[in-house]
Amino acid sequence: MIHKILSDKSYKLFLALTAFFVANALIAECIGGKLFSLERFLGLSVTHFSLFGEPGLSYTLTCGVLLWPLEFILTDVVNEYYGPRAVKRISYTAVVLIAYAFLMFYMAMSVPADRDFWIGSKAAEGVPDMQKGFSAVFGQGMWIIFASIVAFLISQIVDVFVFHRIKKHTGEKRVWLRATGSTLVSQLVDSFVVLFIAFKIGNGWSWQRVLAICMVNYSYKVVMAIILTPLIYLLEYGIERYVGKEAAAEMKRAAMGKEAS
């Protein structure tokens, strides 16, 4: 069995996609605690606006959104060639490892810090207490962690469902429609669920604030989904070159067969 895994290109491809999928999700969670201004990042002036009666809005986003669009691109690629069971498997794997990582982060924050050298080792660089700095970076709120994991799982299931519903009607044509369409629907779900759990339930935000910030975040994700659509075709081209056209076609047929069963 191990020799088959190491020699079969479809197995090796799945291992590579899974590894990148999990690593990308974990990195996105780790950097998600930092907020940045999209307008300033693009060299534009910050313009505040109102939505649903919520004033003072702007495109202030978490750094995690820089990586999450790739996660949904990978979801569509795995869905196309390996089917929904594979997507669920890698999604569950990612969730378990993210939960494990944050457990280790909290353990690292809890152990006694070295006071002789480490605590003040970066004082000259503006960080007088390394323990507080470490905890500030890795100590995201439990509501946010829980919300992120739940939203990720639900949006993945929605993505799988929509992707295969569209593919049943389009066949092998219109890759852009099922890839972008499933991403647009699942990202709306993801944007709402994470805000609802973390800030409506966890922090008592009003419905208008939740909906306003949800639509701001979602509008960014819509643009990114459209911009990254050509990446789907590029990845499919690379996969066909790697495993061969006949093998790629057989993988797609098997993926649909798994879904039908």
Side-chain angles (χ1 to χ4, degrees), residues 56-184:
L57 298 173
S58 65
Y59 277 89
T60 299
L61 307 170
T62 77
C63 285
V65 303
L66 299 173
L67 297 183
W68 278 120
L70 292 176
E71 207 71 357
F72 288 91
I73 292 292
L74 287 173
T75 296
D76 293 334
V77 170
V78 173
N79 216 346
E80 182 83 6
Y81 289 96
Y82 297 96
R85 289 180 61 190
V87 174
K88 292 175 183 177
R89 177 63 59 85
I90 66 173
S91 299
Y92 297 151
T93 301
V95 166
V96 169
L97 292 179
I98 288 170
Y100 171 76
F102 277 102
L103 178 62
M104 294 302 103
F105 294 160
Y106 276 98
M107 182 180 295
M109 288 186 293
S110 301
V111 298
D114 174 69
R115 296 185 175 277
D116 296 328
F117 170 75
W118 186 68
I119 287 286
S121 61
K122 298 293 182 180
E125 300 174 27
V127 186
D129 190 326
M130 283 293 289
Q131 174 63 25
K132 290 182 178 179
F134 185 88
S135 298
V137 171
F138 289 103
Q140 297 186 54
M142 291 302 297
W143 276 111
I144 296 176
I145 296 171
F146 177 71
S148 179
I149 291 175
V150 172
F152 174 68
L153 270 181
I154 294 176
S155 62
Q156 287 293 91
I157 293 172
V158 170
D159 191 284
V160 168
F161 176 80
V162 175
F163 184 95
H164 276 268
R165 290 301 172 189
I166 296 175
K167 190 171 183 179
K168 276 189 172 182
H169 293 285
T170 61
E172 295 303 320
K173 299 179 180 179
R174 299 177 183 173
V175 176
W176 64 270
L177 179 60
R178 57 180 175 271
T180 305
S182 61
T183 298
L184 292 181

Side-chain angles (χ1 to χ4, degrees), residues 184-250:
L184 292 181
V185 176
S186 61
Q187 283 293 278
L188 178 60
V189 173
D190 180 83
S191 299
F192 175 77
V193 171
V194 70
L195 289 171
F196 173 74
I197 295 176
F199 298 104
K200 175 62 178 174
I201 297 177
N203 288 278
W205 279 15
S206 65
W207 277 111
Q208 67 180 39
R209 174 174 288 187
V210 169
L211 293 175
I213 295 179
C214 173
M215 295 313 298
V216 170
N217 292 344
Y218 180 63
S219 64
Y220 165 82
K221 294 175 181 179
V222 168
V223 173
M224 291 304 300
I226 295 172
I227 290 175
L228 291 176
T229 297
L231 183 58
I232 292 285
Y233 290 90
L234 181 61
L235 289 173
E236 288 208 1
Y237 173 77
I239 290 172
E240 288 188 359
R241 287 289 302 271
Y242 178 66
V243 302
K245 287 188 176 182
E246 291 185 5
E250 178 58 33

Side-chain angles (χ1 to χ4, degrees), residues 26-46:
L26 180 56
I27 295 170
E29 290 286 358
C30 291
I31 67 176
K34 178 178 178 178
L35 301 180
F36 75 102
S37 169
L38 180 62
E39 295 100 326
R40 291 194 178 97
F41 177 73
L42 297 175
L44 305 174
S45 58
V46 177

